[in-house]
Amino acid sequence: MSLNHVRPWRNIYRRKSRQIMVGNVPVGGDAPISVQTMTNTLTTDVAATVAQVQAAAEAGADLVRISVPDEASSRALKEIVTECPVPIVADIHFHYKRGIEAAEAGAACLRINPGNIGDENRVKEVIKAARDHGCSIRIGVNAGSLEKHLLEKYGEPCPEAMVESGLEHIRILEDNDFHEFKISVKASDVFLAAAAYQGIAEATDAPIHLGITEAGGLVSGTIKSAIGLGNLLWMGIGDTIRVSLSADPVEEVKVGYEILKSLGLRHRGVNIISCPSCARQGFDVIKTVETLERRLEHVKTPMSLSIIGCVVNGPGEALMTDVGFTGGGAGSGMVYLAGKASHKMSNEQMIDHIVAEVEKKAAQIEASEDAAQDAAE
Ligand code: SF4
């Protein structure tokens, strides 16, 4: 699928993948690139885990993954899935039986790591459970846990070894006539991950789950993920993404969306365009943007807002945004609506006013989308 813009230099041609379902979320084909995260609560703490899934879903997560390290977690998973607003992916390592239990518990997808799930017979049992319970599977290859025979063959984790690991497991699934799977080939090294993903993207039409594993803390991990995932997405590779940060899962979701938004691949909520500010600013840009980000978190309709310190760039940026504010002199600035200068507003009242204008615009966009949908039906 291509995202054709009026400006061809913005086009991204998505790799053609087949589509699978993770619960009610389509992954691959022309489905929107879904955003995932993972809980970091104890799975056995049902209330805390459900609360974290709900917070992630509220922030926009389409799917949430939960670790299932022991039998008690499998039991907890059964309760958790009934209370979660999004499909749950069960993360399985070492114990193939957890995969079977998770499928029985209602997981929408099982993530299995070829490097540590055991021999082919065990994988076959997991496949049977997935089939019996309508689960999809993610083959989650990780550079840090490749199978021994591949490490011996290649000497170290390298793109070829990761692709080979992925293809060996694809073969097992396909030999068992199981096709509802996606694949990831993650590494914490962006070069290794990017090369492995390019290799697997050429070798299969399975949907691809993108991630740079163990990327780091909020700032460093965001940058690493933006470079790694950003490059791959720009090449058209990737059907679902997870940003791995040593941070709150909600932050992972926000960063995931920001990466997709930057590439025009998916939109959600208010995209704020703001200047870094300097001595020319007519109001405190940094504080204003921080406040607006918080005050506008509830708006899910895709739209744009420019908050610019002065007239050097303000009118130009406002031309391309739904709502804009540009600092001026004497404690007030200009409000722009649909690219046109509309009215002046004092700096003191500006935040409440902008929030109201954005909410109004969001309501208009939603109403016109509803009307278009009614007309099409
Ligand atoms: S738009 Fe104005 S205030 Fe903002 S950085 Fe540029 S010159 Fe400075």
Side-chain angles (χ1 to χ4, degrees):
M1 184 191 87
S2 70
L3 292 173
N4 284 313
H5 295 89
V6 190
R7 298 167 185 86
W9 35 270
R10 282 197 179 143
N11 289 349
I12 289 179
Y13 296 93
R14 270 181 76 183
R15 159 185 169 268
K16 284 192 193 342
S17 59
R18 59 190 160 75
Q19 192 170 89
I20 66 160
M21 294 301 290
V22 178
N24 59 2
V25 174
V27 174
D30 59 1
I33 296 171
S34 46
V35 175
Q36 315 197 13
T37 184
M38 189 168 177
T39 54
N40 55 23
T41 48
L42 275 179
T43 304
T44 45
D45 187 342
V46 173
T49 305
V50 168
Q52 211 171 49
V53 173
Q54 282 168 342
E58 186 57 29
D62 302 291
L63 303 166
V64 177
R65 181 156 48 115
I66 296 179
S67 266
V68 186
D70 48 33
E71 229 180 310
S73 299
S74 303
R75 283 195 296 274
L77 190 71
K78 197 169 184 175
E79 273 182 71
I80 293 166
V81 294
T82 60
E83 293 179 50
C84 288
V86 292
I88 298 299
V89 181
D91 196 65
I92 310 298
H93 288 278
F94 308 115
H95 302 289
Y96 76 104
K97 281 205 169 129
R98 300 291 93 77
I100 297 167
E101 289 160 8
E104 288 166 357
C109 179
L110 307 175
R111 179 271 164 115
I112 54 173
N113 183 330
N116 65 28
I117 199 73
D119 64 25
E120 196 166 328
N121 287 333
R122 292 185 165 183
V123 177
K124 278 184 179 174
E125 286 196 51
V126 176
I127 294 170
K128 183 181 180 308
R131 193 194 322 277
D132 290 350
H133 296 277
C135 273
S136 51
I137 288 180
R138 165 157 72 97
I139 301 170
V141 176
N142 198 311
S145 52
L146 280 172
E147 297 97 313
K148 226 169 129 208
H149 73 276
L150 290 172
L151 285 176
E152 277 162 13
K153 177 173 172 188
Y154 289 97
E156 61 169 12
C158 61
E160 294 76 16
M162 293 168 71
V163 171
E164 195 167 325
S165 171
L167 292 180
E168 280 178 9
H169 280 264
I170 285 180
R171 183 190 53 75
I172 299 173
L173 265 56
E174 288 180 342
D175 284 354
N176 284 275
D177 201 23
F178 190 91
H179 305 279
E180 285 288 294
F181 63 87
K182 55 196 167 109
I183 185 158
S184 62
V185 282
K186 295 190 185 184
S188 59
D189 177 285
V190 284
F191 295 100
L192 180 54
Y197 272 114
Q198 286 174 73
I200 204 76
E202 277 172 24
T204 173
D205 68 348
I208 286 182
H209 165 119
L210 284 189
I212 301 296
T213 197
E214 291 118 24
L218 183 56
V219 174
S220 55
T222 296
I223 292 168
K224 220 177 187 184
S225 300
I227 292 171
L229 305 192
N231 269 302
L232 288 162
L233 289 164
W234 203 329
M235 284 181 225
I237 297 170
D239 300 291
T240 179
I241 65 169
R242 189 241 172 151
V243 174
S244 303
L245 301 175
S246 306
D248 192 303
V250 164
E251 299 298 333
E252 293 190 349
V253 177
K254 286 187 191 167
V255 172
Y257 262 98
E258 289 304 326
I259 293 172
L260 294 177
K261 275 192 214 170
S262 303
L263 291 167
L265 286 166
R266 203 163 165 197
H267 301 281
R268 180 183 199 270
V270 184
N271 186 20
I272 301 182
I273 285 117
S274 58
C275 77
S277 81
C278 72
R280 288 181 194 273
Q281 65 183 349
F283 63 99
D284 188 337
V285 174
I286 294 175
K287 221 152 117 195
T288 301
V289 170
E290 272 172 17
T291 309
L292 283 170
E293 277 182 344
R294 207 174 48 247
R295 296 267 313 262
L296 295 172
E297 261 181 359
H298 65 289
V299 178
K300 299 186 173 66
T301 312
M303 57 179 293
S304 53
L305 166 67
S306 54
I307 300 293
I308 308 291
C310 79
V311 292
V312 169
N313 290 324
E317 290 294 352
L319 263 182
M320 292 178 277
T321 48
D322 295 304
V323 177
F325 182 83
T326 296
S332 69
M334 181 61 73
V335 176
Y336 293 78
L337 298 176
K340 293 195 179 67
S342 173
H343 52 277
K344 278 192 161 183
M345 181 52 53
S346 72
N347 289 353
E348 287 87 64
Q349 292 170 301
M350 177 260 273
I351 289 188
D352 284 343
H353 186 73
I354 297 286
V355 170
E357 289 290 355
V358 167
E359 286 172 342
K360 199 160 86 187
K361 183 71 194 175
Q364 280 170 8
I365 295 172
E366 279 165 34
S368 64
E369 278 174 2
D370 287 350
Q373 208 169 344
D374 288 348
E377 280 168 9

